Amino acid sequence: MGRPLYGQYMYEKGQSLLKTLHAKVIKNRVEDLIYLPKTQQWKISLKIEKYETIFDELHLCCGDLPVMDPYSLESSPHYIAAPYPIKELGRMNWTSEPAAVVGTGLAAVDVIKWLVTQTKVSVNAFSRSNYFPTVRVLDGPDINWSIMSDAIFEDLRQQESFSFQTFNHLFEKQLQELGFRDWNSTLNTYLAPDIKGIQLAKKYPSQLYLLQQLASRVADWFTDLWPLMTNSDRKNYQDMYGKAIINLRNPMPEDSAKSILEAAEQGRLNILNQVSDISASEKGFVICSQEKAKLVVNHVINAIGYHLRPSNYDKANSLLRSLLNQRLAQVDHQGGLTVLPQTAQVISPRYGLLPTLRAHGTLINGVIYQNNSIIKIQKIAERAIGSHL
Ligand SMILES: Cc1cc2nc3c(=O)[nH]c(=O)nc-3n(C[C@H](O)[C@H](O)[C@H](O)COP(=O)(O)OP(=O)(O)OC[C@H]3O[C@@H](n4cnc5c(N)ncnc54)[C@H](O)[C@@H]3O)c2cc1C
């Protein structure tokens, strides 16, 4: 189903749901929240009208996270701090001067595809790892999860803790059941940095299909198991599996891969290794990397994505900043607002658990592992709301 059609469907579903719920919709920006600690109720302050209603419970679904600015380029002209909506890029004056894209994730894939199909610029892209998402493989058999089975999962999620060791053992066994030797050789054979990684989809479609399904299963499992892990076990997981599982679980569409491969073949796309710095100059930007001591580009597009981290919360929107400044909420070291994972209730450094404030969606991405896809966001929200019905 195409995105516009899906959007229309969601809109219509939303409208009929609002009718059924007799919900009142206020089309106005919320500027601030006021907590009434004695009654644990809430008032909201709107941008353009006074609003006196007192609420017993609030659900924050106001995503809209800030971007990271790793090279401190925000005030430079020709720096595009966030690429969405992509169509806005069309308003800029693109000559044939080179451009750089920071990031090699899904947002970078969108940007590179747009640049190589809609302009004549030559594109230089890079990230810390230079791994792109894998290419989505749609066709494949139903998988019998004999090791990472539903029954094992049900058992594990009832436990008090979940260790990296247990995960590692189950994952390696499941990998072998699927016909792979082990994780190390899998990483070296089926995933690769740079354009090579994208080319592998043609060579190994059936293996990538299995690995993508496995990565989705891991992300599903971690909805419940991530909160049961210790910080050091989470770090072990991130070091050994983190990035690769994300690149498998969030693959790029085949037509994006095609555009990127074509651009690379035509010499219009260059992947830079080990970029040490980007600085703004009169002519644009100077990029220092391993292969080109000084590459000058006209535009830099930041496609790292949207995150709420301790390092960038000061760039968050005014509502989030106010919540943090009032110490009603805090940014978790894992990213996102700190919440009780089972109920999504916000944990405030000032009041402790706030029983009447819940946060959803990308606002809690980090504390909830990979809470950045619609299906997962919905699942977590249902669980959170169901927990107090
Ligand atoms: C280009 C792109 C493609 C994607 N494709 C997919 C996909 O195919 N599948 C998938 O599962 N996920 C996809 N995602 C990810 C998915 O869209 C997000 O994870 C999801 O939308 C996050 O939902 P959310 O409710 O947390 O935040 P959002 O969807 O960002 O919604 C936040 C809402 O809150 C409103 N808001 C913010 N602040 C205020 C305020 N102060 N007052 C009032 N309203 C406010 C905003 O206007 C917005 O409407 C994609 C994301 C992008 C950018």
Side-chain angles (χ1 to χ4, degrees):
M1 190 193 291
R3 279 172 191 254
L5 188 58
Y6 181 64
Q8 182 65 28
Y9 164 79
M10 289 296 283
Y11 175 77
E12 284 167 14
K13 272 273 173 209
Q15 291 299 316
S16 79
L17 192 64
L18 288 174
K19 254 193 206 144
T20 316
L21 293 171
H22 302 295
K24 182 177 173 194
V25 179
I26 303 158
K27 293 189 177 166
N28 208 318
R29 202 165 175 83
V30 178
E31 286 289 281
D32 209 352
L33 298 184
I34 300 122
Y35 185 48
L36 311 171
K38 277 193 186 142
T39 55
Q40 297 183 329
Q41 289 172 310
W42 296 89
K43 280 179 77 173
I44 60 174
S45 138
L46 297 181
K47 192 163 182 184
I48 50 171
E49 67 183 76
K50 227 172 140 55
Y51 201 74
E52 291 300 338
T53 306
I54 292 179
F55 295 97
D56 293 333
E57 183 164 316
L58 279 190
H59 290 260
L60 297 172
C61 311
C62 48
D64 196 19
L65 301 186
V67 289
M68 314 283 279
D69 180 19
Y71 298 98
S72 306
L73 299 173
E74 215 165 69
S75 53
S76 321
H78 292 197
Y79 176 65
I80 299 162
Y84 293 111
I86 292 270
K87 67 176 181 200
E88 290 293 312
L89 297 177
R91 290 171 184 261
M92 303 194 64
N93 185 20
W94 298 96
T95 58
S96 55
E97 301 285 316
V101 176
V102 186
T104 53
L106 282 176
V109 166
D110 276 354
V111 172
I112 295 170
K113 182 183 171 197
W114 188 87
L115 287 172
V116 298
T117 54
Q118 306 298 318
T119 74
K120 301 222 171 316
V121 301
S122 63
V123 181
N124 298 275
F126 70 92
S127 66
R128 278 175 302 186
S129 71
N130 274 353
Y131 276 80
F132 282 95
T134 55
V135 183
R136 188 185 295 279
V137 186
L138 289 170
D139 294 325
D142 282 346
I143 298 172
N144 171 25
W145 299 104
S146 53
I147 308 294
M148 288 177 64
S149 65
D150 290 348
I152 294 273
F153 174 65
E154 277 311 313
D155 184 41
L156 290 171
R157 63 193 282 255
Q158 307 300 333
Q159 310 284 326
E160 297 226 317
S161 62
F162 177 65
S163 72
F164 171 70
Q165 217 184 358
T166 307
F167 172 77
N168 202 27
H169 173 71
L170 288 169
F171 186 87
E172 285 280 359
K173 269 181 81 180
Q174 182 64 69
L175 207 56
Q176 283 163 16
E177 275 287 305
L178 292 172
F180 298 89
R181 202 169 76 212
D182 56 31
W183 182 234
N184 243 340
S185 69
T186 301
L187 281 179
N188 293 331
T189 314
Y190 305 108
L191 300 176
D194 212 314
I195 300 297
K196 282 190 291 288
I198 304 178
Q199 288 161 338
L200 289 173
K202 275 210 183 95
K203 199 169 171 192
Y204 299 118
S206 52
Q207 289 89 344
L208 280 165
Y209 169 81
L210 294 173
L211 291 170
Q212 286 173 0
Q213 298 297 317
L214 180 58
S216 286
R217 193 151 183 93
V218 170
D220 278 351
W221 274 36
F222 276 4
T223 304
D224 292 293
L225 301 181
W226 191 248
L228 305 182
M229 291 172 84
T230 62
N231 281 340
S232 61
D233 275 4
R234 286 186 197 133
K235 183 168 184 321
N236 287 337
Y237 166 82
Q238 293 290 20
D239 290 347
M240 191 153 164
Y241 295 101
K243 193 81 195 146
I245 293 289
I246 287 174
N247 284 333
L248 287 161
R249 185 226 176 203
N250 306 320
M252 70 172 90
E254 208 180 325
D255 64 327
S256 301
K258 202 165 156 248
S259 301
I260 292 178
L261 289 176
E262 272 170 19
E265 265 165 34
Q266 293 158 3
R268 278 192 64 200
L269 172 63
N270 179 34
I271 309 298
L272 301 174
N273 282 306
Q274 293 182 24
V275 169
S276 52
D277 193 29
I278 307 182
S279 51
S281 76
E282 271 172 29
K283 286 186 180 163
F285 302 88
V286 180
I287 303 181
C288 300
S289 70
Q290 194 183 41
E291 51 279 86
K292 288 194 182 168
K294 282 188 176 170
L295 168 72
V296 178
V297 299
N298 217 18
H299 290 88
V300 171
I301 306 175
N302 182 15
I304 297 178
Y306 302 83
H307 304 277
L308 184 60
R309 301 253 170 85
S311 57
N312 76 334
Y313 76 89
D314 53 329
K315 295 196 170 62
N317 65 34
S318 56
L319 173 60
L320 274 179
R321 279 205 318 274
S322 168
L323 279 176
L324 297 167
N325 288 338
Q326 293 185 65
R327 296 196 302 120
L328 288 168
Q330 68 179 17
V331 180
D332 201 90
H333 69 98
Q334 301 178 75
L337 297 180
T338 306
V339 290
L340 191 65
Q342 292 74 15
T343 62
Q345 285 161 313
V346 172
I347 297 174
S348 149
R350 185 165 160 196
Y351 297 104
L353 186 76
L354 291 173
T356 52
L357 182 66
R358 286 164 209 260
H360 302 276
T362 49
L363 278 180
I364 54 172
N365 185 20
V367 176
I368 305 292
Y369 182 77
Q370 286 277 291
N371 204 40
N372 56 3
S373 71
I374 301 302
I375 293 176
K376 184 137 179 184
I377 289 172
Q378 185 184 346
K379 187 173 165 188
I380 294 288
E382 269 176 19
R383 188 174 71 178
I385 293 165
S387 69
H388 79 126
L389 289 179

